[in-house]
């Protein structure tokens, strides 16, 4: 499918602007510098919903990635296949004014505002592409996908990063939520150093703010952890099969 830009209503554009203005003031202090830099590179503002074609021209020139329009949440096989091929699946619909404070299914503000700016960072997208290739390889193994989803959840969606001694946000699930932006950096939840073993042993819930967050030191650290992620998941799969036998 395609983004049909002229179909956006005045309310759609207003909702985007409101959500942008709610979140933007907290970003210079709370978000990773790579996100705020990426936001400028892809020209996202409060003045209008991003045009995928224009954004893709920029992304292709920077990292070779692009936004791929989808109607909503896609099944795992397609999700991993698209990202293994440098295509980030994003919905084109925007929440209604009545849904500003709560939305069960991610809309374009989450998919685009929160995810796309970091697609300008090479180490980050290399990590994203690699774990997607793992997912594509393991798609027939439900337990492998479940374990991999924990890696994705605690990095791409809800990851924190330490920059110049301060903890910042890079996870899109946090960056699209004004409430979780404040909460994730507070003393309320648990904060752990990035640890593949611990992440693989830590379940998560989608219906509430997170109890646990993991802090990386750099995007290169994420990328360099790929062999460990693959070997640790493969070891757990082998243990599971041996237990069944």
């Amino acid at each position: 499918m395609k983004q049909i830009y002229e179909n956006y209503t005045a309310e759609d554009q207003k909702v985007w602007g409101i959500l942008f203005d709610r979140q933007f003031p907290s970003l210079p202090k709370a978000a990773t510098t790579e996100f705020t830099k990426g936001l400028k590179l892809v020209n996202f503002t409060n003045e209008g919903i991003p045009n995928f074609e224009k954004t893709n021209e920029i992304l292709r020139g920077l990292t070779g990635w692009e936004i791929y329009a989808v109607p909503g949440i896609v099944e795992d096989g397609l999700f991993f296949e698209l990202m293994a091929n440098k295509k980030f699946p994003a919905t084109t619909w925007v929440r209604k004014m009545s849904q500003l404070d709560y939305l069960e299914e991610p809309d374009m503000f989450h998919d685009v505002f929160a995810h796309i700016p970091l697609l300008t960072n090479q180490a980050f997208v290399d990590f994203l592409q690699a774990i997607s290739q793992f997912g594509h390889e393991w798609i027939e193994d439900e337990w492998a996908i479940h374990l991999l989803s924990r890696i994705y959840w605690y990095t791409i969606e809800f990851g924190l990063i330490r920059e110049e001694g301060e903890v910042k946000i890079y996870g899109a699930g946090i960056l699209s939520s004004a409430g979780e932006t404040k909460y994730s950096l507070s003393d309320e939840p648990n904060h752990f150093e990035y640890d593949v073993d611990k992440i693989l042993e830590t379940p998560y819930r989608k219906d509430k703010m997170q109890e646990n967050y993991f802090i990386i030191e750099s995007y290169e650290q994420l990328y360099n952890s790929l062999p460990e992620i693959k070997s640790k998941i493969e070891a757990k799969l082998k243990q599971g099969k041996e237990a069944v036998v």
Side-chain angles (χ1 to χ4, degrees):
M1 64 176 292
K2 289 186 177 181
Q3 179 194 44
I4 305 174
Y5 199 86
E6 57 270 22
N7 284 356
Y8 289 118
T9 65
E11 179 181 341
D12 292 334
Q13 298 286 0
K14 186 176 182 179
V15 166
W16 172 272
I18 290 172
L19 293 171
F20 191 103
D21 287 339
R22 273 187 177 187
Q23 196 65 345
F24 187 76
S26 67
L27 295 181
K29 182 173 177 58
T32 171
T33 55
E34 287 300 304
F35 180 84
T36 52
K37 185 169 76 174
L39 204 62
K40 293 177 182 178
L41 287 171
V42 294
N43 297 325
F44 287 0
T45 72
N46 63 349
E47 296 179 359
I49 292 169
N51 184 302
F52 287 8
E53 288 186 8
K54 293 179 180 179
T55 303
N56 283 344
E57 288 179 12
I58 298 169
L59 288 175
R60 291 188 196 108
L62 292 170
T63 58
W65 277 67
E66 62 182 44
I67 306 170
Y68 187 91
V70 294
I73 295 175
V74 298
E75 53 90 22
D76 288 343
L78 178 59
F79 180 75
F80 288 125
E81 181 181 356
L82 287 171
M83 292 202 297
N85 288 285
K86 302 182 181 181
K87 300 178 187 296
F88 191 89
T91 188
T92 61
W93 64 276
V94 186
R95 71 190 74 180
K96 299 301 181 185
M97 198 71 73
S98 60
Q99 300 171 307
L100 286 176
D101 295 314
Y102 178 75
L103 191 69
E104 185 172 344
E105 181 180 346
D107 70 341
M108 191 181 72
F109 188 74
H110 169 267
D111 287 352
V112 177
F113 173 86
H115 275 289
I116 301 307
L118 270 180
L119 297 187
T120 62
N121 180 280
Q122 193 64 57
F124 180 84
V125 294
D126 287 347
F127 172 78
L128 181 57
Q129 183 180 20
I131 61 171
S132 299
Q133 289 169 340
F134 294 166
H136 188 58
E137 176 185 342
W138 295 328
I139 196 60
E140 299 300 327
D141 192 315
E142 187 176 344
W143 181 234
I145 296 302
H146 178 73
L147 290 172
L148 190 63
S149 75
R150 293 182 180 179
I151 299 292
Y152 186 91
W153 188 262
Y154 286 117
T155 58
I156 306 301
E157 290 292 351
F158 290 93
L160 300 177
I161 184 170
R162 187 174 288 106
E163 294 179 342
E164 298 183 355
E166 293 188 18
V167 177
K168 305 278 189 174
I169 301 162
Y170 73 93
I174 312 174
L175 289 170
S176 60
S177 167
E180 191 138 9
T181 291
K182 183 177 180 180
Y183 169 80
S184 68
L185 298 177
S186 74
D187 293 330
E188 287 189 61
N190 301 312
H191 293 103
F192 302 104
E193 299 303 308
Y194 181 66
D195 183 320
V196 172
D197 279 321
K198 189 168 183 63
I199 289 176
L200 292 176
E201 295 295 333
T202 306
Y204 60 85
R205 287 181 59 176
K206 297 182 178 181
D207 60 346
K208 57 183 289 189
M209 289 191 186
Q210 303 304 299
E211 296 179 1
N212 306 297
Y213 298 93
F214 291 84
I215 306 168
I216 61 171
E217 296 295 328
S218 68
Y219 299 107
E220 287 73 22
Q221 180 189 17
L222 270 186
Y223 181 76
N224 291 334
S225 72
L226 286 166
E228 182 184 6
I229 291 170
K230 194 170 193 294
S231 65
K232 291 288 175 62
I233 291 180
E234 287 177 339
K236 287 183 176 295
L237 297 179
K238 184 178 180 181
Q239 289 169 3
K241 289 176 181 176
E242 288 176 349
V244 171
V245 174

